[in-house]
Amino acid sequence: MTQVYNFSSGPAMLPVDVLKLAQEELCDWQGLGTSVMEISHRSKEFIGVAEQSEKDLRDLLQIPDNYRVLFCHGGGRGQFSALPLNLLGDKTTADYVDGGYWAASAVKEAKKYLTPNVIDAKITVDGKRALKPMREWQPTPGAAWLHYCPNETIDGIAIDETPDFGDDVVVAADFSSTILSRAIDVSRFGLIYAGAQKNIGPAGLTLVIVREDLLGKASKACPSILDYTVLNENGSMFNTPPTFAWYLAGLVFKWLKGKGGVPAMEAINQQKAALLYGTIDRSDFYRNDVADANRSRMNVPFQLADSKLDALFLEESFAAGLHALKGHRVVGGMRASIYNAMPLEGVKALTDFMVDFERRHG
Ligand code: PMP
């Protein structure tokens, strides 16, 4: 197999060891003579996958007992609707902190169900893009929740603080592109959700971690397949779950545990980010315009000073085995997504390439 480093923002690189294991057991899983994709989700073998994966995730994130873990369909965008449909109850507003593209997308969807109170967190500090610290967010009394996105995949901007708004504020957060990349205190959140296709596994699976006292409030119009209470009562098997994605997520959780869990990943992610931002900052040839405190460790957008070199950079990096570095269409430039599965060697290969490219074209 030719090893390339895939910097895609999602669907994203998966650990090679996990892919090899899945390949090994693809056609004859657990001695059944079939693949895991071809058996009933209600079989004892698949129930085993479901139970073990939840247990491993609970260990990895130290999820308290009063939280339920749901394995859902519908992606991050599905949760933009599921949140209001499940948690609004008799309230009419919720706070939405706008820090970037995905937080704003959540607002757009929320408007179908309620009147969101938008807290614009985007600021400029010393000419750099930044986000207001949490102490400057003012939750609205009586709002049903406060929603934010700790890591904006497209903007490359992050809020790494731990929410501390007191017991009356239900914090709901879109962890799609940062879950399992650093330690978090789950007890500070009412709801955490994440599409799988970045740090968990293949697309098609969405994780929801919800505090159990928030269940039982779904609106009558909430489709049963998005209803947290229904999903919880049915072990996330009200309808057929995305079984292969779930199985693969389970393998990723085991892989993470084998690597030393979330703290070990956090240390490596810190090193990877420091190396890449260091390379960008060292010269005027490359530029990242996010203030230090808000730089994402997962998604690193950067521009070349001379955008006429963009196409050549992409062509040469691809030829060097460094794939999917093109920036998102709304931002342009480059973006390197460096989730858990990206090894330090991959970031080294990228930074070596960047230094060499600058030497040849700078
Ligand atoms: N939230 C964030 C932070 C994301 O990065 C994405 C996808 N890139 C989404 C939501 C939307 O996820 P999905 O495509 O799974 O609906």
Side-chain angles (χ1 to χ4, degrees):
M1 188 175 80
T2 317
Q3 169 81 61
V4 302
Y5 293 115
N6 173 11
F7 294 90
S8 169
S9 62
M13 186 168 179
L14 287 163
V16 178
D17 292 348
V18 166
L19 292 177
K20 282 189 178 153
L21 179 57
Q23 182 183 42
E24 223 171 84
E25 55 189 29
L26 185 68
C27 293
D28 183 10
W29 182 69
Q30 292 199 1
L32 292 176
T34 67
S35 75
V36 64
M37 278 179 276
E38 300 162 285
I39 62 163
S40 169
H41 51 297
R42 305 202 187 279
S43 63
K44 70 172 180 342
E45 290 83 2
F46 194 81
I47 298 282
V49 168
E51 288 176 353
Q52 189 62 46
S53 59
E54 177 174 339
K55 184 183 174 310
D56 288 337
L57 181 71
R58 284 185 173 276
D59 291 347
L60 285 164
L61 287 176
Q62 296 178 14
I63 301 174
D65 289 346
N66 63 326
Y67 283 74
R68 307 273 55 94
V69 178
L70 309 174
F71 293 80
C72 316
H73 295 272
R77 283 192 188 272
Q79 292 306 312
F80 295 168
S81 298
L83 164 60
L85 285 164
N86 278 281
L87 300 195
L88 193 59
D90 54 8
K91 304 222 167 142
T92 54
T93 189
D95 289 328
Y96 278 78
V97 178
D98 181 4
Y101 183 93
W102 288 110
S105 303
V107 172
K108 223 186 268 175
E109 197 69 13
K111 283 184 178 160
K112 295 181 178 174
Y113 310 100
L114 61 131
T115 310
N117 170 49
V118 179
I119 300 171
D120 186 0
K122 299 190 290 299
I123 51 171
T124 306
V125 173
D126 298 332
K128 299 225 164 196
R129 287 190 289 129
L131 296 173
K132 279 185 194 158
M134 282 186 177
R135 70 185 132 74
E136 291 179 29
W137 304 359
Q138 281 178 355
T140 310
W145 61 82
L146 178 144
H147 177 272
Y148 80 106
C149 179
N151 187 78
E152 285 285 356
T153 322
I154 294 175
D155 305 77
I157 205 159
I159 302 156
D160 294 327
E161 289 176 83
T162 301
D164 187 14
F165 298 102
D167 291 345
D168 292 342
V169 178
V170 174
V171 178
D174 175 0
F175 271 81
S176 292
S177 50
T178 184
I179 193 156
L180 293 164
S181 73
R182 59 189 307 142
I184 57 167
D185 180 353
V186 173
S187 74
R188 298 295 179 89
F189 298 86
L191 174 81
I192 286 171
Y193 62 88
Q197 65 270 26
K198 300 160 199 302
N199 250 345
I200 297 171
L205 175 73
T206 312
L207 276 187
V208 169
I209 302 167
V210 58
R211 214 175 58 214
E212 62 191 3
D213 62 282
L214 297 171
L215 298 176
K217 293 200 293 186
S219 103
K220 276 209 184 95
C222 181
S224 301
I225 60 160
L226 290 182
D227 186 326
Y228 299 153
T229 310
V230 172
L231 290 169
N232 180 47
E233 283 168 355
N234 289 276
S236 300
M237 295 194 191
F238 173 71
N239 69 327
T240 313
T243 50
F244 187 73
W246 193 340
Y247 148 82
L248 215 84
L251 296 188
V252 171
F253 298 157
K254 277 269 181 274
W255 174 82
L256 278 171
K257 280 181 132 180
K259 291 272 167 202
V262 173
M265 273 298 140
E266 179 167 358
I268 298 172
N269 288 332
Q270 222 160 348
Q271 261 181 294
K272 281 153 46 184
L275 179 60
L276 184 46
Y277 283 113
T279 304
I280 293 166
D281 291 343
R282 212 167 294 127
S283 85
D284 295 333
F285 191 80
Y286 300 107
R287 180 166 39 85
N288 168 281
D289 67 347
V290 179
D292 283 357
N294 295 112
R295 280 178 158 182
S296 166
R297 283 190 201 155
M298 293 288 102
N299 310 96
V300 183
F302 60 95
Q303 316 280 332
L304 272 61
D306 179 1
S307 62
K308 288 199 288 300
L309 289 172
D310 283 3
L312 189 63
F313 184 94
L314 288 169
E315 190 186 313
E316 289 193 6
S317 56
F318 189 85
L322 307 165
H323 290 193
L325 285 163
K326 193 173 176 14
H328 190 274
R329 61 187 186 282
V330 304
V331 179
M334 310 299 151
R335 173 177 51 170
S337 294
I338 49 175
Y339 303 117
N340 286 345
M342 175 61 67
L344 181 59
E345 295 74 45
V347 178
K348 278 199 183 122
L350 171 60
T351 53
D352 286 350
F353 170 83
M354 289 167 70
V355 170
D356 187 54
F357 187 86
E358 177 179 356
R359 187 182 54 73
R360 288 181 292 110
H361 301 288

